[in-house]
Coordinates of all heavy atoms in Angstrom, one line a residue:
M257 N -2.0 7.0 17.5 CA -2.9 6.2 16.7 C -3.4 7.1 15.5 O -3.7 8.3 15.7 CB -4.1 5.7 17.5 CG -5.0 4.9 16.7 SD -6.6 4.5 17.4 CE -6.2 3.6 18.9
L258 N -3.6 6.5 14.4 CA -4.1 7.2 13.2 C -5.4 6.5 12.8 O -5.5 5.3 12.6 CB -3.1 7.1 12.1 CG -3.5 7.7 10.8 CD1 -3.6 9.2 10.9 CD2 -2.5 7.4 9.7
A259 N -6.4 7.3 12.8 CA -7.8 6.8 12.4 C -8.2 7.5 11.1 O -8.2 8.8 11.0 CB -8.8 7.0 13.5
L260 N -8.5 6.8 10.1 CA -9.0 7.3 8.8 C -10.4 6.9 8.6 O -10.8 5.8 8.9 CB -8.1 6.8 7.6 CG -6.6 7.1 7.7 CD1 -5.9 6.4 6.6 CD2 -6.4 8.6 7.6
P261 N -11.2 7.9 8.0 CA -12.6 7.5 7.7 C -12.7 6.5 6.6 O -11.8 6.5 5.7 CB -13.2 8.9 7.3 CG -12.1 9.7 6.8 CD -10.8 9.2 7.6
T262 N -13.7 5.8 6.6 CA -14.0 4.8 5.5 C -14.3 5.6 4.2 O -15.1 6.6 4.3 CB -15.2 3.9 5.8 OG1 -14.9 3.3 7.1 CG2 -15.4 2.9 4.8
P263 N -13.7 5.3 3.1 CA -13.9 6.0 1.9 C -15.4 5.8 1.4 O -16.0 4.8 1.7 CB -13.0 5.3 0.9 CG -12.0 4.5 1.6 CD -12.7 4.2 2.9
S264 N -15.9 6.8 0.7 CA -17.2 6.7 0.2 C -17.3 5.7 -0.9 O -16.3 5.3 -1.4 CB -17.7 8.1 -0.3 OG -16.9 8.4 -1.5
T265 N -18.5 5.3 -1.2 CA -18.8 4.3 -2.3 C -18.2 4.9 -3.6 O -17.6 4.2 -4.4 CB -20.3 4.0 -2.4 OG1 -20.7 3.5 -1.2 CG2 -20.5 3.0 -3.5
K266 N -18.4 6.2 -3.8 CA -17.9 6.8 -5.0 C -16.4 6.7 -5.1 O -15.8 6.4 -6.1 CB -18.3 8.2 -5.1 CG -17.9 9.0 -6.3 CD -18.4 10.4 -6.3 CE -17.8 11.2 -7.5 NZ -18.3 12.6 -7.5
N267 N -15.7 7.0 -4.0 CA -14.2 6.9 -3.9 C -13.8 5.4 -4.1 O -12.8 5.2 -4.8 CB -13.7 7.4 -2.6 CG -13.8 8.9 -2.6 OD1 -13.9 9.6 -3.6 ND2 -13.8 9.5 -1.4
L268 N -14.4 4.5 -3.5 CA -14.1 3.1 -3.7 C -14.2 2.7 -5.1 O -13.4 2.0 -5.7 CB -15.0 2.2 -2.8 CG -14.7 2.2 -1.3 CD1 -15.8 1.4 -0.6 CD2 -13.3 1.8 -1.0
Q269 N -15.3 3.1 -5.7 CA -15.6 2.8 -7.2 C -14.4 3.3 -8.0 O -13.9 2.6 -8.9 CB -16.9 3.4 -7.6 CG -17.3 3.0 -9.0 CD -17.9 1.6 -9.1 OE1 -18.5 1.1 -8.1 NE2 -17.7 0.9 -10.2
H270 N -14.0 4.5 -7.8 CA -12.9 5.1 -8.5 C -11.6 4.4 -8.3 O -10.9 4.1 -9.3 CB -12.8 6.6 -8.2 CG -11.6 7.2 -8.9 ND1 -11.6 7.5 -10.2 CD2 -10.4 7.6 -8.4 CE1 -10.5 8.1 -10.6 NE2 -9.7 8.1 -9.5
I271 N -11.3 4.1 -7.1 CA -10.0 3.5 -6.7 C -9.9 2.1 -7.4 O -8.9 1.8 -8.1 CB -9.8 3.3 -5.2 CG1 -9.6 4.7 -4.6 CG2 -8.7 2.4 -4.9 CD1 -9.8 4.6 -3.0
Y272 N -10.9 1.3 -7.3 CA -10.8 -0.1 -7.8 C -11.0 -0.1 -9.3 O -10.5 -1.0 -10.0 CB -11.8 -1.0 -7.1 CG -11.4 -1.1 -5.6 CD1 -12.1 -0.7 -4.6 CD2 -10.1 -1.7 -5.4 CE1 -11.7 -0.8 -3.3 CE2 -9.7 -1.8 -4.1 CZ -10.5 -1.4 -3.0 OH -10.0 -1.5 -1.7
Q273 N -11.8 0.8 -9.9 CA -11.9 0.9 -11.3 C -10.5 1.3 -12.0 O -10.2 0.7 -13.0 CB -13.0 1.9 -11.8 CG -14.3 1.2 -11.8 CD -15.3 2.1 -12.5 OE1 -16.4 2.4 -11.9 NE2 -15.1 2.6 -13.7
V274 N -9.8 2.1 -11.3 CA -8.5 2.5 -11.8 C -7.6 1.3 -11.8 O -6.9 1.0 -12.7 CB -7.9 3.7 -11.1 CG1 -6.4 3.9 -11.4 CG2 -8.7 5.0 -11.4
Q275 N -7.5 0.6 -10.6 CA -6.6 -0.5 -10.5 C -6.9 -1.6 -11.5 O -6.1 -2.1 -12.2 CB -6.7 -1.1 -9.1 CG -6.1 -0.3 -8.0 CD -6.2 -1.0 -6.6 OE1 -7.1 -1.8 -6.4 NE2 -5.3 -0.6 -5.8
L276 N -8.2 -2.0 -11.5 CA -8.6 -3.1 -12.4 C -8.6 -2.7 -13.8 O -8.3 -3.5 -14.7 CB -10.0 -3.7 -11.9 CG -10.4 -5.0 -12.5 CD1 -9.3 -6.1 -12.3 CD2 -11.7 -5.4 -12.0
G277 N -9.0 -1.5 -14.1 CA -9.0 -0.9 -15.4 C -7.6 -1.0 -16.1 O -7.4 -1.3 -17.2
K278 N -6.6 -0.6 -15.3 CA -5.2 -0.6 -15.8 C -4.8 -2.0 -16.2 O -4.2 -2.3 -17.2 CB -4.3 -0.1 -14.7 CG -2.8 0.0 -15.2 CD -2.0 0.6 -14.1 CE -0.5 0.8 -14.5 NZ 0.3 -0.3 -14.1
F279 N -5.2 -3.0 -15.3 CA -4.9 -4.4 -15.6 C -5.6 -4.9 -16.8 O -5.0 -5.5 -17.7 CB -5.3 -5.2 -14.4 CG -5.2 -6.7 -14.6 CD1 -4.0 -7.4 -14.7 CD2 -6.4 -7.4 -14.8 CE1 -3.9 -8.7 -14.9 CE2 -6.3 -8.8 -15.0 CZ -5.1 -9.4 -15.1
L280 N -6.8 -4.5 -17.0 CA -7.6 -5.0 -18.2 C -7.1 -4.3 -19.4 O -7.0 -4.9 -20.5 CB -9.1 -4.7 -18.0 CG -9.8 -5.5 -16.9 CD1 -11.2 -5.1 -16.8 CD2 -9.7 -7.0 -17.2
H281 N -6.7 -3.1 -19.3 CA -6.1 -2.3 -20.5 C -4.8 -2.9 -21.0 O -4.6 -3.1 -22.2 CB -6.0 -0.9 -20.1 CG -5.4 -0.1 -21.3 ND1 -6.1 0.2 -22.4 CD2 -4.2 0.5 -21.5 CE1 -5.4 1.0 -23.2 NE2 -4.2 1.1 -22.7
E282 N -4.0 -3.3 -20.0 CA -2.7 -3.9 -20.4 C -2.8 -5.3 -20.8 O -1.9 -5.8 -21.5 CB -1.7 -3.7 -19.2 CG -1.3 -2.3 -18.9 CD -0.5 -2.1 -17.7 OE1 -0.3 -3.1 -16.9 OE2 -0.1 -1.0 -17.4
G283 N -3.8 -6.0 -20.4 CA -3.9 -7.4 -20.7 C -4.6 -7.7 -22.1 O -5.1 -6.8 -22.7
D284 N -4.6 -8.9 -22.5 CA -5.2 -9.3 -23.7 C -6.6 -9.9 -23.5 O -6.8 -11.1 -23.4 CB -4.3 -10.4 -24.4 CG -4.8 -10.7 -25.8 OD1 -5.5 -9.9 -26.4 OD2 -4.5 -11.8 -26.2
F285 N -7.5 -9.0 -23.2 CA -8.9 -9.4 -22.9 C -9.9 -9.0 -24.0 O -9.7 -7.9 -24.7 CB -9.4 -8.7 -21.6 CG -8.6 -9.1 -20.4 CD1 -7.5 -8.4 -19.9 CD2 -8.9 -10.3 -19.7 CE1 -6.7 -8.9 -18.8 CE2 -8.2 -10.7 -18.6 CZ -7.1 -10.0 -18.2
V286 N -10.9 -9.8 -24.2 CA -11.9 -9.5 -25.2 C -12.7 -8.2 -24.7 O -12.7 -7.9 -23.5 CB -12.8 -10.7 -25.4 CG1 -12.1 -11.8 -26.0 CG2 -13.6 -11.1 -24.1
P287 N -13.3 -7.5 -25.6 CA -14.0 -6.3 -25.2 C -15.1 -6.5 -24.2 O -15.4 -5.6 -23.4 CB -14.6 -5.8 -26.6 CG -13.7 -6.3 -27.6 CD -13.2 -7.6 -27.1
E288 N -15.8 -7.6 -24.3 CA -16.8 -7.9 -23.3 C -16.3 -7.9 -21.9 O -17.0 -7.5 -21.0 CB -17.5 -9.2 -23.6 CG -18.3 -9.3 -24.9 CD -17.5 -9.5 -26.2 OE1 -16.2 -9.8 -26.0 OE2 -18.0 -9.4 -27.3
V289 N -15.1 -8.4 -21.7 CA -14.5 -8.5 -20.3 C -14.2 -7.0 -19.9 O -14.4 -6.6 -18.8 CB -13.3 -9.4 -20.3 CG1 -12.6 -9.3 -19.0 CG2 -13.7 -10.8 -20.6
K290 N -13.6 -6.3 -20.8 CA -13.2 -4.9 -20.5 C -14.4 -4.1 -20.2 O -14.4 -3.2 -19.3 CB -12.4 -4.3 -21.6 CG -11.0 -4.9 -21.8 CD -10.3 -4.3 -23.0 CE -8.9 -4.9 -23.1 NZ -8.2 -4.3 -24.2
D291 N -15.5 -4.3 -20.9 CA -16.8 -3.6 -20.7 C -17.5 -3.9 -19.4 O -18.3 -3.1 -18.9 CB -17.7 -3.8 -21.9 CG -17.3 -3.2 -23.2 OD1 -16.3 -2.4 -23.1 OD2 -17.8 -3.7 -24.2
A292 N -17.1 -5.0 -18.8 CA -17.7 -5.5 -17.5 C -17.0 -4.8 -16.3 O -17.4 -5.1 -15.2 CB -17.7 -7.0 -17.4
L293 N -16.1 -4.0 -16.5 CA -15.3 -3.4 -15.4 C -16.2 -2.7 -14.4 O -16.1 -3.0 -13.1 CB -14.3 -2.4 -15.9 CG -13.5 -1.5 -14.9 CD1 -12.6 -2.5 -14.0 CD2 -12.7 -0.5 -15.6
F294 N -17.1 -1.8 -14.8 CA -17.9 -1.1 -13.8 C -18.8 -2.0 -13.1 O -19.0 -1.9 -11.9 CB -18.8 0.0 -14.6 CG -19.7 0.8 -13.7 CD1 -19.2 1.8 -13.0 CD2 -21.0 0.4 -13.5 CE1 -20.0 2.5 -12.1 CE2 -21.8 1.1 -12.7 CZ -21.4 2.2 -12.0
S295 N -19.4 -3.0 -13.8 CA -20.3 -4.0 -13.1 C -19.6 -4.8 -12.1 O -20.1 -5.1 -11.0 CB -21.0 -4.9 -14.2 OG -21.8 -4.1 -15.0
F296 N -18.4 -5.3 -12.5 CA -17.6 -6.1 -11.5 C -17.2 -5.3 -10.3 O -17.4 -5.8 -9.2 CB -16.4 -6.6 -12.2 CG -15.5 -7.4 -11.3 CD1 -15.8 -8.7 -10.9 CD2 -14.4 -6.9 -10.7 CE1 -15.1 -9.5 -10.1 CE2 -13.6 -7.6 -9.8 CZ -13.9 -8.9 -9.5
V297 N -16.7 -4.1 -10.4 CA -16.4 -3.3 -9.3 C -17.6 -3.0 -8.4 O -17.6 -3.1 -7.2 CB -15.5 -2.1 -9.7 CG1 -15.3 -1.2 -8.5 CG2 -14.2 -2.5 -10.4
S298 N -18.7 -2.6 -9.1 CA -19.9 -2.2 -8.3 C -20.4 -3.5 -7.6 O -20.8 -3.3 -6.4 CB -21.0 -1.7 -9.3 OG -20.6 -0.6 -9.9
G299 N -20.4 -4.6 -8.2 CA -20.9 -5.8 -7.6 C -20.0 -6.2 -6.4 O -20.5 -6.6 -5.3
S300 N -18.7 -6.1 -6.5 CA -17.8 -6.4 -5.4 C -18.0 -5.5 -4.2 O -18.0 -5.9 -3.1 CB -16.3 -6.2 -5.9 OG -16.0 -7.2 -6.9
I301 N -18.2 -4.2 -4.5 CA -18.5 -3.2 -3.4 C -19.8 -3.5 -2.8 O -19.9 -3.5 -1.5 CB -18.4 -1.8 -4.0 CG1 -17.0 -1.4 -4.4 CG2 -18.9 -0.8 -2.9 CD1 -16.8 -0.1 -5.1
A302 N -20.8 -3.9 -3.5 CA -22.1 -4.2 -3.0 C -22.1 -5.4 -2.1 O -22.7 -5.5 -1.0 CB -23.2 -4.4 -4.1
I303 N -21.3 -6.5 -2.5 CA -21.1 -7.6 -1.7 C -20.4 -7.3 -0.4 O -20.8 -7.8 0.7 CB -20.4 -8.7 -2.5 CG1 -21.3 -9.3 -3.6 CG2 -20.0 -9.9 -1.5 CD1 -20.6 -10.2 -4.6
Y304 N -19.4 -6.5 -0.5 CA -18.6 -6.1 0.7 C -19.5 -5.4 1.7 O -19.5 -5.7 2.9 CB -17.5 -5.1 0.2 CG -16.9 -4.4 1.4 CD1 -16.1 -5.0 2.3 CD2 -17.1 -3.0 1.5 CE1 -15.5 -4.3 3.4 CE2 -16.5 -2.3 2.6 CZ -15.7 -2.9 3.5 OH -15.2 -2.2 4.5
Y305 N -20.4 -4.4 1.2 CA -21.3 -3.7 2.1 C -22.3 -4.7 2.7 O -22.6 -4.6 3.9 CB -22.0 -2.6 1.4 CG -21.1 -1.3 1.3 CD1 -21.0 -0.6 0.1 CD2 -20.4 -0.8 2.4 CE1 -20.3 0.5 0.0 CE2 -19.6 0.3 2.2 CZ -19.5 1.0 1.0 OH -18.8 2.1 0.9
R306 N -22.8 -5.6 1.9 CA -23.8 -6.5 2.5 C -23.2 -7.4 3.5 O -23.8 -7.7 4.5 CB -24.3 -7.4 1.3 CG -25.5 -8.3 1.7 CD -26.2 -8.8 0.6 NE -27.3 -9.6 1.1 CZ -28.1 -10.3 0.3 NH1 -27.9 -10.3 -1.0 NH2 -29.0 -11.1 0.9
M307 N -21.9 -7.9 3.3 CA -21.3 -8.7 4.3 C -21.1 -7.9 5.6 O -21.3 -8.5 6.7 CB -19.9 -9.2 3.7 CG -20.0 -10.3 2.7 SD -18.5 -10.7 1.9 CE -17.4 -10.9 3.2
C308 N -20.7 -6.7 5.4 CA -20.4 -5.8 6.6 C -21.7 -5.7 7.4 O -21.7 -5.6 8.7 CB -19.9 -4.5 6.2 SG -18.2 -4.5 5.7
N309 N -22.9 -5.5 6.7 CA -24.1 -5.3 7.4 C -24.8 -6.6 7.9 O -25.5 -6.5 8.9 CB -25.1 -4.6 6.5 CG -24.6 -3.1 6.2 OD1 -24.1 -2.5 7.1 ND2 -24.9 -2.7 5.0
E310 N -24.6 -7.7 7.2 CA -25.4 -8.9 7.6 C -24.5 -9.9 8.4 O -25.1 -10.7 9.1 CB -25.9 -9.5 6.3 CG -27.0 -8.7 5.7 CD -27.7 -9.4 4.5 OE1 -27.5 -10.6 4.3 OE2 -28.3 -8.6 3.7
M311 N -23.2 -9.9 8.2 CA -22.4 -10.9 8.8 C -21.7 -10.2 10.0 O -20.4 -10.1 10.0 CB -21.4 -11.5 7.8 CG -22.1 -12.2 6.7 SD -21.0 -13.0 5.5 CE -20.4 -14.4 6.5
L312 N -22.5 -9.8 11.0 CA -21.9 -9.1 12.1 C -21.2 -10.1 13.1 O -21.7 -11.2 13.2 CB -23.0 -8.3 12.8 CG -23.8 -7.3 12.0 CD1 -24.9 -6.7 12.7 CD2 -22.8 -6.2 11.5
P313 N -20.2 -9.6 13.8 CA -19.5 -10.5 14.7 C -20.5 -10.8 15.9 O -21.3 -10.0 16.3 CB -18.4 -9.7 15.3 CG -18.4 -8.3 14.6 CD -19.6 -8.3 13.7
T314 N -20.3 -12.1 16.4 CA -21.1 -12.5 17.5 C -20.1 -13.2 18.4 O -18.9 -13.5 18.0 CB -22.2 -13.5 17.1 OG1 -21.6 -14.7 16.6 CG2 -23.2 -12.9 16.1
P315 N -20.5 -13.6 19.7 CA -19.5 -14.3 20.5 C -19.0 -15.6 19.9 O -17.9 -16.0 20.0 CB -20.3 -14.5 21.8 CG -21.3 -13.4 21.9 CD -21.6 -13.2 20.4
A316 N -19.9 -16.3 19.1 CA -19.5 -17.5 18.5 C -18.8 -17.3 17.2 O -18.1 -18.2 16.7 CB -20.8 -18.4 18.2
K317 N -18.9 -16.1 16.6 CA -18.3 -15.9 15.3 C -17.5 -14.5 15.3 O -17.8 -13.6 14.6 CB -19.3 -15.8 14.2 CG -20.0 -17.2 14.0 CD -21.1 -17.1 13.0 CE -21.8 -18.5 12.9 NZ -23.0 -18.4 12.1
I318 N -16.6 -14.4 16.2 CA -15.9 -13.1 16.4 C -15.0 -12.8 15.2 O -14.6 -11.7 15.0 CB -15.0 -13.1 17.7 CG1 -14.0 -14.3 17.6 CG2 -15.9 -13.2 18.9 CD1 -13.0 -14.2 18.8
H319 N -14.8 -13.8 14.3 CA -13.9 -13.5 13.1 C -14.7 -12.8 12.0 O -14.1 -12.5 11.0 CB -13.4 -14.9 12.6 CG -14.4 -15.8 12.2 ND1 -15.1 -16.6 13.1 CD2 -14.9 -16.2 11.0 CE1 -16.0 -17.4 12.5 NE2 -15.8 -17.2 11.2
Y320 N -16.0 -12.6 12.2 CA -16.8 -11.9 11.2 C -16.6 -10.4 11.3 O -17.5 -9.6 11.7 CB -18.3 -12.2 11.4 CG -18.7 -13.5 10.8 CD1 -17.8 -14.4 10.3 CD2 -20.1 -13.8 10.7 CE1 -18.2 -15.7 9.8 CE2 -20.5 -15.0 10.2 CZ -19.6 -15.9 9.7 OH -20.0 -17.1 9.2
T321 N -15.4 -9.9 11.0 CA -15.1 -8.5 10.9 C -14.5 -8.2 9.6 O -13.6 -8.9 9.2 CB -14.2 -8.0 12.1 OG1 -13.0 -8.8 12.0 CG2 -14.8 -8.2 13.4
F322 N -15.1 -7.3 8.9 CA -14.7 -7.0 7.5 C -14.2 -5.6 7.4 O -14.8 -4.7 8.0 CB -15.8 -7.3 6.5 CG -16.3 -8.7 6.6 CD1 -17.5 -9.0 7.3 CD2 -15.6 -9.7 6.0 CE1 -17.9 -10.3 7.4 CE2 -16.0 -11.0 6.0 CZ -17.2 -11.3 6.7
N323 N -13.2 -5.4 6.6 CA -12.8 -4.0 6.4 C -12.4 -3.8 4.9 O -12.5 -4.7 4.1 CB -11.6 -3.6 7.4 CG -10.4 -4.5 7.2 OD1 -10.0 -4.9 6.1 ND2 -9.9 -4.9 8.4
I324 N -11.9 -2.7 4.6 CA -11.5 -2.3 3.2 C -10.5 -3.3 2.7 O -10.4 -3.5 1.5 CB -11.2 -0.8 3.1 CG1 -11.3 -0.3 1.7 CG2 -9.8 -0.6 3.6 CD1 -12.8 -0.3 1.3
R325 N -9.6 -3.8 3.5 CA -8.6 -4.8 3.0 C -9.2 -6.0 2.4 O -8.7 -6.6 1.4 CB -7.7 -5.2 4.1 CG -6.7 -4.1 4.5 CD -5.8 -4.6 5.6 NE -6.6 -5.1 6.7 CZ -6.3 -5.2 8.0 NH1 -5.1 -4.9 8.3 NH2 -7.1 -5.7 8.9
D326 N -10.4 -6.4 2.9 CA -11.0 -7.6 2.3 C -11.5 -7.3 0.9 O -11.4 -8.2 0.0 CB -12.2 -8.0 3.2 CG -11.8 -8.4 4.6 OD1 -10.8 -9.2 4.7 OD2 -12.4 -7.9 5.6
L327 N -12.0 -6.1 0.7 CA -12.5 -5.7 -0.7 C -11.2 -5.7 -1.6 O -11.3 -6.1 -2.7 CB -13.2 -4.4 -0.6 CG -13.6 -3.8 -2.0 CD1 -14.5 -4.8 -2.7 CD2 -14.4 -2.5 -1.7
S328 N -10.2 -5.1 -1.0 CA -8.9 -5.0 -1.9 C -8.4 -6.4 -2.3 O -7.9 -6.6 -3.4 CB -7.8 -4.3 -1.1 OG -8.2 -3.0 -0.8
Q329 N -8.5 -7.4 -1.4 CA -8.1 -8.7 -1.7 C -8.9 -9.3 -2.8 O -8.4 -10.1 -3.6 CB -8.2 -9.6 -0.4 CG -7.1 -9.3 0.6 CD -5.7 -9.5 0.0 OE1 -5.4 -10.5 -0.6 NE2 -4.9 -8.5 0.3
V330 N -10.2 -9.0 -2.9 CA -11.0 -9.5 -4.0 C -10.4 -9.0 -5.3 O -10.3 -9.7 -6.3 CB -12.5 -9.1 -3.9 CG1 -13.3 -9.4 -5.1 CG2 -13.1 -9.8 -2.7
I331 N -10.2 -7.7 -5.4 CA -9.6 -7.1 -6.6 C -8.3 -7.6 -6.9 O -8.0 -7.9 -8.1 CB -9.6 -5.5 -6.4 CG1 -11.0 -5.0 -6.1 CG2 -9.0 -4.9 -7.7 CD1 -12.1 -5.2 -7.2
I332 N -7.4 -7.7 -5.9 CA -6.0 -8.2 -6.1 C -6.1 -9.7 -6.7 O -5.3 -10.0 -7.6 CB -5.2 -8.1 -4.9 CG1 -4.9 -6.7 -4.6 CG2 -3.9 -8.9 -4.9 CD1 -4.3 -6.4 -3.2
M333 N -6.9 -10.5 -6.1 CA -7.0 -11.9 -6.5 C -7.5 -12.0 -7.9 O -7.1 -12.9 -8.7 CB -7.8 -12.7 -5.6 CG -7.2 -12.9 -4.2 SD -5.4 -13.5 -4.3 CE -5.6 -15.1 -5.0
T334 N -8.4 -11.1 -8.3 CA -8.9 -11.1 -9.7 C -7.8 -10.7 -10.6 O -7.7 -11.3 -11.7 CB -10.0 -10.0 -9.8 OG1 -11.1 -10.3 -8.9 CG2 -10.6 -10.0 -11.2
I335 N -6.9 -9.8 -10.3 CA -5.8 -9.5 -11.1 C -4.8 -10.6 -11.2 O -4.3 -10.9 -12.3 CB -5.1 -8.2 -10.6 CG1 -6.0 -7.0 -10.7 CG2 -3.7 -8.0 -11.2 CD1 -5.5 -5.7 -10.1
H336 N -4.6 -11.4 -10.2 CA -3.6 -12.5 -10.2 C -4.2 -13.8 -10.7 O -3.5 -14.8 -10.9 CB -3.0 -12.7 -8.8 CG -2.2 -11.5 -8.4 ND1 -1.0 -11.2 -9.0 CD2 -2.4 -10.6 -7.4 CE1 -0.4 -10.2 -8.4 NE2 -1.3 -9.8 -7.4
L337 N -5.5 -13.9 -10.9 CA -6.2 -15.1 -11.3 C -5.7 -15.7 -12.6 O -5.4 -16.9 -12.7 CB -7.7 -14.9 -11.3 CG -8.5 -16.2 -11.6 CD1 -8.3 -17.2 -10.5 CD2 -10.0 -15.9 -11.7
P338 N -5.5 -14.9 -13.6 CA -5.0 -15.5 -14.9 C -3.6 -16.1 -14.7 O -3.4 -17.2 -15.3 CB -4.9 -14.2 -15.8 CG -5.9 -13.3 -15.3 CD -5.8 -13.5 -13.8
A339 N -2.7 -15.6 -13.9 CA -1.4 -16.2 -13.8 C -1.5 -17.5 -13.0 O -0.9 -18.5 -13.3 CB -0.5 -15.2 -13.0
A340 N -2.4 -17.5 -12.0 CA -2.6 -18.7 -11.2 C -3.2 -19.8 -12.1 O -2.8 -21.0 -12.0 CB -3.5 -18.5 -10.0
C341 N -4.1 -19.5 -13.0 CA -4.7 -20.5 -13.9 C -3.7 -21.0 -14.8 O -3.7 -22.2 -15.1 CB -5.9 -19.9 -14.7 SG -7.3 -19.5 -13.7
E342 N -2.8 -20.2 -15.3 CA -1.7 -20.6 -16.2 C -0.8 -21.6 -15.5 O -0.3 -22.6 -16.1 CB -0.9 -19.4 -16.7 CG 0.1 -19.7 -17.8 CD -0.5 -20.3 -19.0 OE1 -1.7 -19.9 -19.4 OE2 0.2 -21.1 -19.7
L343 N -0.4 -21.3 -14.2 CA 0.4 -22.2 -13.5 C -0.2 -23.6 -13.3 O 0.4 -24.6 -13.4 CB 0.7 -21.6 -12.1 CG 1.7 -20.5 -12.0 CD1 1.8 -20.0 -10.6 CD2 3.1 -21.0 -12.5
V344 N -1.5 -23.6 -13.1 CA -2.3 -24.9 -12.9 C -2.2 -25.6 -14.2 O -2.0 -26.8 -14.3 CB -3.7 -24.6 -12.4 CG1 -4.5 -25.9 -12.5 CG2 -3.7 -24.1 -11.0
R345 N -2.4 -24.9 -15.3 CA -2.4 -25.5 -16.7 C -1.1 -26.1 -17.0 O -1.0 -27.2 -17.6 CB -2.8 -24.5 -17.7 CG -3.9 -24.9 -18.6 CD -4.3 -23.9 -19.6 NE -5.0 -22.8 -19.0 CZ -4.8 -21.6 -19.3 NH1 -4.0 -21.2 -20.2 NH2 -5.5 -20.6 -18.6
L346 N 0.0 -25.5 -16.6 CA 1.4 -26.0 -16.8 C 1.7 -27.3 -16.1 O 2.5 -28.0 -16.5 CB 2.4 -24.9 -16.5 CG 2.3 -23.7 -17.4 CD1 3.3 -22.6 -16.9 CD2 2.6 -24.0 -18.8
H347 N 1.1 -27.5 -14.9 CA 1.4 -28.7 -14.1 C 0.4 -29.7 -14.5 O -0.1 -30.5 -14.5 CB 1.3 -28.4 -12.6 CG 2.5 -27.5 -12.2 ND1 2.4 -26.1 -12.2 CD2 3.7 -27.8 -11.8 CE1 3.5 -25.7 -11.7 NE2 4.4 -26.7 -11.5

């Protein structure tokens, strides 16, 4: 079994800023959107930590377990959102 420690908030901020920053840099986004990178990533991490602390699993809600993959899915879906919106517009 391999157990890895949870990354620090600073490391999470760096990882997701690099991922999303590359996407924003390569895309055709207005400067206001590009400038919101730090705020978006910080807000996503804050929501993730709040969910982990407040939405604890209970016998009735055993599915309330959150991990770093859930935070990654938020960032990934943000990156794929423009393509999904374009598909909806085409239909």
Side-chain angles (χ1 to χ4, degrees):
M257 181 193 298
L258 178 65
L260 299 173
T262 302
S264 68
T265 302
K266 181 180 176 181
N267 288 338
L268 289 175
Q269 186 78 32
H270 176 74
I271 290 166
Y272 293 116
Q273 273 192 231
V274 169
Q275 285 182 338
L276 194 55
K278 182 176 185 265
F279 171 73
L280 292 176
H281 179 72
E282 293 174 354
D284 186 25
F285 294 94
V286 296
E288 292 83 7
V289 172
K290 292 179 180 181
D291 292 343
L293 173 64
F294 180 81
S295 297
F296 176 77
V297 172
S298 295
S300 297
I301 293 170
I303 291 169
Y304 165 72
Y305 281 133
R306 186 166 181 183
M307 287 172 48
C308 290
N309 290 327
E310 292 183 15
M311 299 180 75
L312 300 174
T314 65
K317 299 177 182 173
I318 58 172
H319 61 282
Y320 280 10
T321 55
F322 302 99
N323 58 42
I324 201 68
R325 287 181 306 205
D326 299 312
L327 178 58
S328 295
Q329 288 301 314
V330 170
I331 303 298
I332 289 168
M333 293 309 297
T334 302
I335 290 171
H336 292 293
L337 186 60
C341 290
E342 187 62 30
L343 284 175
V344 170
R345 229 179 289 138
L346 293 176
H347 288 94

